[in-house]
Amino acid sequence: MTNLFFDEDGAFKVGVELSSSTSSCQVELVSGKRIKVKKSHIFVTFTTPSCSEFMKQAQEMSETIDLDLLWEFAPEEDFSAKDIAKDYFGEEPTALQAAAMIMRLHANPVYFYRKGRGNYRKAPAETLRLALAAIERKKQQELLKDQYVHSLVNAKIAPEEIKSSAISLMVKPDKNSIEWKAVKEASDELGISPLRLLLQTKAIASPWVWHVDSFFSVNFPKGKEFSRNLATVIDNDYDALPLVDVQAFSIDDSNTTEVDDAISVTPMSGNRTCVGIHISAPALGISRDSALDIAARDRMSTVYAPGLKTTMLPEAWIKAFSLDEGKVSPVISLYAVVDNETLDVISTESRLERICVAKNLWYDKIESEVTEEAIQKGMLSVPFGAEIIWLWHFSKHLLNKREIKRGRPEAVGRIDWFFDLQGEGENARIMLKGRKRGAPLDLLVAEMMIFANSTWGAFLDEKKTVGIYRTQHMSRVKLTSVPGPHDGIGVDYYAWSTSPLRRYVDMVNQRQLIAVLKGEIPPYKQNDSDLFAVISAFDSTYTTFLDFQTRMDRYWSLRWLEQENIKDVKACVVKGDLVRIDGLPMAQRVPGLPELPRGQNVILEVLALDFVELVMECRLKQVLNESSELEEEIIDETEVEPKDSDMSDGTQEISESGN
């Protein structure tokens, strides 16, 4: 009985020859399967040992062949496995030796190149040296990876190499790196996600560090700091602008650093009042395509989250243009002449000028005194009390006109909850605070900013000057260069222009306004590709920043529940299993919640808090015999303005009027 050692599709096999023809043989494999083998594919014939034993012995012998020695005396030209087996073993090779040799050659393509079936050529010396070095490096990396895995799995300690790159391993992993391979292998072995593993081993110090550092790693890859050449304010001579004598005041939270709007109220003859809305004018000093403009455009907006703030502009530039008390600053002013009896606007005028803000009023310091009851009585003891009273009545009039146009009343009265963190970072003491939508100061600032943005939107359209508008039709809010109404707010035009220190769209619109007021060619023309690029980039970036703020609001909501040891929470059904948690800036889904009417109040039992996934695990405990009124619009987190805890821009003009 003849046995054959042959090649089938690149794999060495053995079998018993059953029959033979001129060019092929019928062979029965060890498994019992019968196949046809070309004679040109047969390397060795043998009778003993058995097929299975032959393969075992050939493999064992193959591993004893000295590769380096074999390479040394191999000829430079092509050679056959049979010939070099004869040279290596010093005699006519046995079937076992011949099979062992070809298996050794075939298994080491680094040493020997394949040149057809059974033929080889040795690799050049330098090529072999480099290849062996690469193999050794890979071997050492594999050993190092195994050490990392052992440390992660058994010692529960992250090696320094993994710790130093932990965030990047999660947000932008190099899946060929040994660090990633070690983390993935260890997490698979433990049955947890790579992120959970890095948190458990303190490679990432905490969920808070993960949420914050991952956001900035992705969105600020060059770091949060501005380059030094942008930190110095370029001196500009604004003395040519008229310095107007108005008693202007601002209303912001006391921790505000970007005071970009102020208001003045000046009595006029004929039972009229002149209302001035004064907006900081950084566009006067930051020209299009300047280095600072490019940096601001790259950021698009100031980033807000509880305890965190990363500004769109360098601190020195903000300070230079912020409308701080007692400082003369360049502004774009919108003046509206108002009839004191009807409170209708008779005329408007925009000017480029300078003002000196008489007073920075801090919302959190005076809100308890500025109540609707005190205003109705005409008794406000705060600075500019009389002006605030008049502005409140004017704002109510503007609100009423918007409500008529939009076809429904404004969604006021809801509490917007926010966090005041006492201390630094994740260990801060969490103070939960609320601000009632439609409260006098909130309403006043919101309506003044809506009025300015809508008036300047109409002004740009009237002057045939392109701008960036925020429109809403059929509940869809979008940025566009095409003028159009904002149905949700109830205005014919709406062009963000009142927050140029913290929002790039406002800076663009301000440049256009300044050019018109100066009688110059506007920086942006119709169909300007840069303008469309700004709109697209702003939409994307702003959504990302809003999502970060929402996630951090959820994080601190969960932390507050932990801090206060809350076991039950009250919630209001929004739709299906979506509920809004009472007293927190947080909504979430409750799997398994029965079908309940919109607005139904329930009690949820808190089971667990997940600070990584930002989920409160809970279950329904009680359906209350009460309900809450909700706005018509379903919660849409992307329409919530980043909160700087200030009153700038009217908290997104009352959050896009209900969204």
Side-chain angles (χ1 to χ4, degrees):
M1 181 183 298
T2 302
N3 299 326
L4 307 178
F5 174 79
F6 59 91
D7 169 23
E8 184 188 37
D9 298 329
F12 297 123
K13 295 183 179 180
V14 290
V16 178
E17 180 182 353
L18 300 177
S19 63
S20 176
S21 65
T22 305
S23 61
S24 64
C25 296
Q26 188 76 12
V27 177
E28 183 178 294
L29 302 178
V30 176
S31 64
K33 180 181 178 182
R34 295 186 177 187
I35 62 173
K36 182 184 286 188
V37 178
K38 292 181 180 180
K39 285 189 173 181
S40 60
H41 291 195
I42 299 171
F43 297 119
V44 174
T45 62
F46 62 97
T47 55
T48 59
S50 66
C51 288
S52 57
E53 186 64 26
F54 181 89
M55 283 296 286
K56 177 183 177 183
Q57 291 181 20
Q59 184 62 50
E60 290 174 352
M61 183 180 291
S62 170
E63 292 172 2
T64 66
I65 296 174
D66 189 327
L67 272 177
D68 293 322
L69 177 62
L70 189 62
W71 183 87
E72 283 290 342
F73 68 72
E76 299 295 331
E77 64 275 6
D78 293 358
F79 59 87
S80 69
K82 185 175 181 180
D83 289 341
I84 202 168
K86 183 177 180 180
D87 293 339
Y88 184 84
F89 292 107
E91 56 186 19
E92 187 69 27
T94 65
L96 202 58
Q97 289 172 334
M101 180 57 70
I102 195 169
M103 291 172 75
R104 188 63 161 167
L105 292 168
H106 203 77
N108 291 277
V110 170
Y111 282 85
F112 302 101
Y113 301 153
R114 297 165 190 170
K115 292 295 182 178
R117 188 168 284 105
N119 295 311
Y120 300 88
R121 173 180 289 183
K122 74 176 184 179
E126 181 61 18
T127 303
L128 178 61
R129 185 186 68 80
L130 294 174
L132 291 176
I135 291 172
E136 181 60 26
R137 284 197 301 273
K138 186 174 182 180
K139 179 181 177 181
Q140 293 302 319
Q141 287 182 336
E142 192 68 19
L143 290 172
L144 186 58
K145 184 207 72 175
D146 291 343
Q147 292 175 13
Y148 289 168
V149 172
H150 182 273
S151 179
L152 291 166
V153 172
N154 298 308
K156 308 299 182 186
I157 297 174
E160 191 58 40
E161 293 80 359
I162 289 177
K163 195 172 184 178
S164 63
S165 59
I167 296 296
S168 62
L169 283 174
M170 290 295 96
V171 300
K172 195 176 181 181
D174 176 3
K175 295 191 176 181
N176 291 318
S177 68
I178 61 170
E179 289 81 10
W180 168 255
K181 290 178 180 178
V183 169
K184 187 66 171 66
E185 186 175 320
S187 63
D188 287 345
E189 184 174 335
L190 293 170
I192 59 176
S193 70
L195 175 57
R196 298 275 185 183
L197 172 64
L198 293 177
L199 286 164
Q200 283 184 10
T201 58
K202 296 301 180 182
I204 298 175
S206 66
W208 181 84
V209 170
W210 159 246
H211 294 305
V212 173
D213 287 5
S214 62
F215 169 80
F216 284 106
S217 175
V218 172
N219 296 283
F220 293 79
K222 297 179 181 178
K224 294 182 288 184
E225 301 301 321
F226 290 92
S227 59
R228 290 186 178 182
N229 64 310
L230 300 178
T232 303
V233 178
I234 300 173
D235 290 330
N236 284 285
D237 186 7
Y238 304 119
D239 291 346
L241 298 176
L243 177 61
V244 296
D245 185 17
V246 293
Q247 289 295 300
F249 59 95
S250 65
I251 303 175
D252 297 275
D253 272 334
S254 56
N255 61 355
T256 300
T257 59
E258 300 153 297
V259 181
D260 46 18
D261 57 83
I263 307 170
S264 63
V265 179
T266 306
M268 300 176 67
S269 60
N271 199 28
R272 297 177 177 181
T273 298
C274 181
V275 179
I277 301 172
H278 313 281
I279 306 300
S280 169
L284 283 170
I286 305 173
S287 58
R288 177 183 174 180
D289 295 331
S290 64
L292 180 54
D293 178 57
I294 292 171
R297 175 174 169 173
D298 186 53
R299 298 192 175 201
M300 284 294 175
S301 169
T302 292
V303 180
Y304 300 107
L308 299 170
K309 181 175 179 178
T310 302
T311 59
M312 182 182 76
L313 297 174
E315 182 181 351
W317 284 86
I318 292 172
K319 187 174 181 179
F321 287 96
S322 181
L323 304 184
D324 297 330
E325 183 177 315
K327 180 166 71 73
V328 175
S329 303
V331 294
I332 297 180
S333 295
L334 172 63
Y335 291 101
V337 177
V338 181
D339 184 292
N340 286 337
E341 291 185 4
T342 65
L343 294 178
D344 287 333
V345 175
I346 299 171
S347 63
T348 61
E349 181 184 3
S350 297
R351 301 176 193 165
L352 193 57
E353 58 191 20
R354 292 178 298 149
I355 65 167
C356 180
V357 174
K359 189 70 175 176
N360 292 139
L361 299 179
W362 305 123
Y363 186 100
D364 46 319
K365 305 293 185 184
I366 64 173
E367 62 176 321
S368 60
E369 299 179 58
V370 184
T371 64
E372 191 167 331
E373 181 182 9
I375 289 174
Q376 295 284 19
K377 291 180 179 179
M379 299 173 58
L380 282 185
S381 58
V382 301
F384 291 93
E387 287 82 354
I388 290 174
I389 291 172
W390 189 93
L391 284 168
W392 182 82
H393 287 290
F394 179 50
S395 296
K396 293 285 284 186
H397 179 71
L398 293 176
L399 171 61
N400 182 60
K401 293 184 69 174
R402 289 197 302 105
E403 288 178 332
I404 293 172
K405 188 172 184 63
R406 70 199 289 260
R408 64 183 187 275
E410 191 70 74
V412 297
R414 170 183 160 188
I415 304 296
D416 286 326
W417 299 98
F418 62 96
F419 296 105
D420 182 11
L421 303 182
Q422 307 295 315
E424 294 293 327
E426 61 184 307
N427 296 318
R429 177 72 181 173
I430 309 163
M431 306 297 292
L432 180 63
K433 296 184 177 181
R435 178 168 292 158
K436 185 178 180 182
R437 288 190 184 181
L441 292 176
D442 179 75
L443 176 69
L444 184 158
V445 175
E447 290 301 329
M448 292 302 99
M449 298 308 112
I450 291 172
F451 179 70
N453 287 326
S454 59
T455 302
W456 276 332
F459 180 70
L460 288 174
D461 188 38
E462 176 191 339
K463 298 299 182 180
K464 308 299 181 186
T465 301
V466 68
I468 299 177
Y469 295 84
R470 194 160 175 86
T471 65
Q472 183 183 28
H473 180 64
M474 300 294 290
S475 298
R476 184 188 176 194
V477 181
K478 66 176 182 178
L479 285 181
T480 174
S481 62
V482 180
H486 194 303
D487 296 339
I489 295 178
V491 292
D492 292 328
Y493 300 91
Y494 197 68
W496 270 342
S497 309
T498 53
S499 293
L501 290 175
R502 63 188 184 93
R503 199 163 50 198
Y504 191 74
V505 166
D506 301 57
M507 177 93 75
V508 169
N509 283 336
Q510 186 174 92
R511 287 195 182 112
Q512 301 296 88
L513 288 168
I514 289 173
V516 172
L517 293 175
K518 284 185 170 183
E520 299 174 349
I521 298 174
Y524 301 91
K525 301 178 178 60
Q526 293 287 348
N527 299 319
D528 191 318
S529 60
D530 261 8
L531 193 69
F532 298 140
V534 167
I535 292 172
S536 176
F538 184 87
D539 255 342
S540 173
T541 303
Y542 207 51
T543 298
T544 299
F545 290 1
L546 289 172
D547 178 66
F548 174 63
Q549 179 183 335
T550 299
R551 286 189 289 114
M552 295 311 295
D553 277 342
R554 292 182 67 84
Y555 171 82
W556 287 110
S557 294
L558 298 180
R559 284 289 308 278
W560 183 82
L561 290 172
E562 179 186 56
Q563 173 185 286
E564 301 300 317
N565 196 29
I566 303 295
K567 299 302 181 183
D568 297 325
V569 295
K570 184 178 178 182
C572 179
V573 176
V574 177
K575 183 180 181 181
D577 62 356
L578 178 65
V579 301
R580 176 184 287 153
I581 308 302
D582 187 44
L584 288 172
M586 175 180 170
Q588 80 160 50
R589 298 194 179 278
V590 183
L593 188 71
E595 190 68 31
L596 294 170
R598 178 178 170 82
Q600 175 68 56
N601 289 329
V602 297
I603 298 295
L604 302 174
E605 180 184 2
V606 179
L607 302 176
L609 303 173
D610 188 334
F611 299 111
V612 180
E613 298 297 332
L614 299 179
V615 172
M616 176 182 71
E617 294 182 29
C618 57
R619 65 184 174 198
L620 178 64
K621 185 174 183 179
Q622 182 183 358
V623 178
L624 299 176
N625 188 27
E626 62 182 56
S627 60
S628 301
E629 290 187 12
L630 293 177
E631 305 95 317
E632 290 184 14
E633 296 82 354
I634 296 174
I635 295 174
D636 181 0
E637 297 294 354
T638 64
E639 286 301 324
V640 179
E641 170 80 353
K643 306 178 191 70
D644 183 23
S645 297
D646 64 12
M647 297 298 296
S648 184
D649 226 3
T651 56
Q652 179 83 352
E653 293 63 74
I654 314 181
S655 292
E656 298 284 10
S657 291
N659 281 345

